[in-house]
Amino acid sequence: MNRHNRKIIVYIMAIWFIISFVTNIIGPLIPIIIKWYTLNYALAGFLPFSFFLAYGIISIPAGFLLERRGQSVTMLGAFSLNALGCLLIATSASYLAVIAGLFVIGLGMAMLQVVINPLTRSSVGEEHFAFYAVLGQLVFGVASFLSPFALSLLQTNAHVFEGFGPPWVPFYAGAGLVFAGFIALTAKMRLPRAELAQDERVGSFSTYLALLRDKYVLLFFVGIVAYVGTEQGLADWMGQFLLVYHGIPAETTGAYEVSLFWGLMVIGCMLGLLLLRLLDSQLILRLFGVGAVGCVLAALLGPTQVSLIAFPLCGFALSVMWSIIFALALNSVAEHHGSFTGILCTGILGGALLPLAIGWLGDNIGLRHAMFLILLLLAYIISISFWARPLTRNETVWNRQGTEAPERL
């Protein structure tokens, strides 16, 4: 790999880091915003709703923009939206400004994630793509782990920023400057021309209609909605749950718990890579799904010390689900993988729906009972391990070539 491409890889990894760092601050921020604005749970649920709704809206249009105008234009647009969203939040202390800012940031983040895989593939070559894709996810996980610590640091040193308004203003002001830096850097960089692989092309409108007539496409779309909803439902509400039911301060220990949740997810991903070389992916999904149910039950019903252990372990249990569900989905159709990927990525709006649903239910039946909704989503995810009929199963050490799956019903 030449020196220029090494610079691009560093650039890509920096993008993965900032995407995760800004995205995953929302969870530990919720209890702080609830207290600051004296919000009910439903109104607090609009914070992640506004952010992840953007993914559902922009993912497919961003794919069209990438194909027609190229990656530089798409990335400059994405970073501009990110910077604008941060500016909205940093310059206004109003609740509506935070909601609007998170939505605009979400639009930019979704666009970046559409670009980043083909850019990586073009920079390192097909033969190295898998390695750098996994490295990107590792960087993403590390940033997820560090992000809540940044918020906790701001809270414990609030006196330094006295007079700046709400405690999240310095965070988003700093993030806005970083995104402005990315705009300048992207404008100057000579990026390789992105040749989109078949699984990265968005396809025609008729292709989407044809896919949506396949029941498995719809079932896997619901699977992605269920997974992202579960992940964000836990990450966004665990801090408030620990505060309400166990008196755990959200700004310090609560933020640390969210950080551990993401950190153990990274460790689980690494273990998952090993297990996928040994076991069928559907069996792994089933085992981790059952483990996730146990962890959620322990977190919601156990005493303080059990809850403090079980919530982070939920991250470990969820760690393999996204990649396995996505792989099973793509392996279940013989063609139009790019369009199918667009449909699946639209399912990220599950991160908008479940936190909002938990908030609304929490106001009416209590937060603990509302979070039992997560168990229904996990039950659906476990069901995928039974009804999925991929055309080809994952290769293991026992089966070097993979096996043809049983014929679909």
Side-chain angles (χ1 to χ4, degrees):
M1 187 186 301
N2 61 45
R3 184 175 180 182
H4 175 68
N5 281 7
R6 289 195 190 99
K7 290 181 180 179
I8 294 176
I9 289 301
V10 173
Y11 168 77
I12 290 170
M13 295 304 144
I15 293 174
W16 275 124
F17 187 92
I18 192 63
I19 288 175
S20 176
F21 198 79
V22 174
T23 297
N24 293 309
I25 201 70
I26 298 173
L29 191 60
I30 283 180
I32 299 170
I33 288 185
I34 288 175
K35 182 179 178 181
W36 185 271
Y37 293 120
T38 319
L39 300 177
N40 60 25
Y41 292 152
L43 288 175
F46 273 102
L47 297 170
F49 177 83
S50 62
F51 183 88
F52 285 98
L53 178 64
Y55 276 80
I57 292 173
I58 202 68
S59 291
I60 292 176
F64 283 110
L65 179 64
L66 175 62
E67 287 193 14
R68 294 178 181 179
R69 300 300 303 274
Q71 58 205 20
S72 292
V73 170
T74 306
M75 294 178 78
L76 286 170
F79 287 130
S80 297
L81 287 170
N82 289 329
L84 175 61
C86 289
L87 182 66
L88 284 172
I89 297 174
T91 57
S92 175
S94 75
Y95 166 76
L96 289 178
V98 175
I99 294 294
L102 287 175
F103 176 75
V104 175
I105 293 171
L107 292 173
M109 294 301 189
M111 292 172 66
L112 285 176
Q113 295 207 39
V114 168
V115 178
I116 200 165
N117 280 329
L119 176 60
T120 303
R121 191 193 301 271
S122 301
S123 301
V124 304
E126 187 74 32
E127 67 276 16
H128 300 298
F129 175 66
F131 173 82
Y132 284 100
V134 173
L135 180 61
Q137 291 305 302
L138 180 61
V139 171
F140 187 96
V142 170
S144 299
F145 175 73
L146 294 175
S147 184
F149 281 111
L151 184 62
S152 181
L153 187 64
L154 284 174
Q155 285 292 102
T156 54
N157 294 277
H159 61 281
V160 177
F161 303 100
E162 191 172 354
F164 283 88
W168 55 86
V169 165
F171 179 89
Y172 283 101
L177 291 174
V178 171
F179 285 125
F182 270 108
I183 292 172
L185 183 60
T186 302
K188 290 184 178 181
M189 286 194 71
R190 183 168 54 88
L191 299 174
R193 180 180 176 83
E195 298 294 338
L196 298 182
Q198 194 275 338
D199 63 346
E200 293 164 344
R201 297 186 182 277
V202 294
S204 64
F205 182 71
S206 60
T207 301
Y208 285 102
L209 289 179
L211 283 169
L212 291 173
R213 295 189 188 102
D214 186 333
K215 69 175 183 179
Y216 282 94
V217 170
L218 298 177
L219 289 170
F220 277 113
F221 169 78
V222 175
I224 294 296
V225 171
Y227 169 73
V228 181
T230 299
E231 176 194 279
Q232 293 301 316
L234 286 166
D236 292 342
W237 286 109
M238 71 170 70
Q240 185 67 16
F241 180 93
L242 291 170
L243 174 64
V244 171
Y245 294 102
H246 300 291
I248 301 298
E251 299 87 347
T252 52
T253 306
Y256 179 65
E257 287 289 294
V258 178
S259 178
L260 284 179
F261 173 86
W262 294 113
L264 286 175
M265 187 175 286
V266 175
I267 295 173
C269 284
M270 290 188 278
L271 176 62
L273 290 174
L274 173 63
L275 290 175
L276 284 168
R277 304 300 297 164
L278 300 174
L279 301 171
D280 183 81
S281 63
Q282 286 174 253
L283 176 59
I284 296 172
L285 181 63
R286 193 175 309 155
L287 293 174
F288 275 68
V290 172
V293 169
C295 289
V296 171
L297 285 171
L300 297 181
L301 300 176
T304 300
Q305 290 305 314
V306 171
S307 192
L308 287 171
I309 294 171
F311 268 125
L313 283 176
C314 289
F316 181 88
L318 298 182
S319 60
V320 301
M321 293 182 182
W322 167 271
S323 56
I324 290 178
I325 295 171
F326 220 99
L328 286 172
L330 293 180
N331 285 340
S332 296
V333 298
E335 56 184 356
H336 305 310
H337 287 168
S339 300
F340 192 13
T341 297
I343 292 171
L344 292 174
C345 287
T346 304
I348 293 175
L349 62 80
L353 300 177
L354 190 75
L356 182 62
I358 290 175
W360 182 82
L361 286 172
D363 287 328
N364 291 279
I365 62 174
L367 186 57
R368 173 179 276 129
H369 292 98
M371 291 184 72
F372 276 100
L373 183 59
I374 291 170
L375 296 176
L376 294 179
L377 301 187
L378 286 173
Y380 185 87
I381 290 170
I382 293 171
S383 79
I384 295 173
S385 71
F386 291 98
W387 54 254
R389 296 291 185 270
L391 302 176
T392 303
R393 296 192 182 277
N394 62 296
E395 181 181 277
T396 69
V397 295
W398 320 111
N399 170 35
R400 289 291 183 182
Q401 299 302 319
T403 58
E404 294 297 321
E407 186 176 350
R408 297 197 328 189
L409 299 177

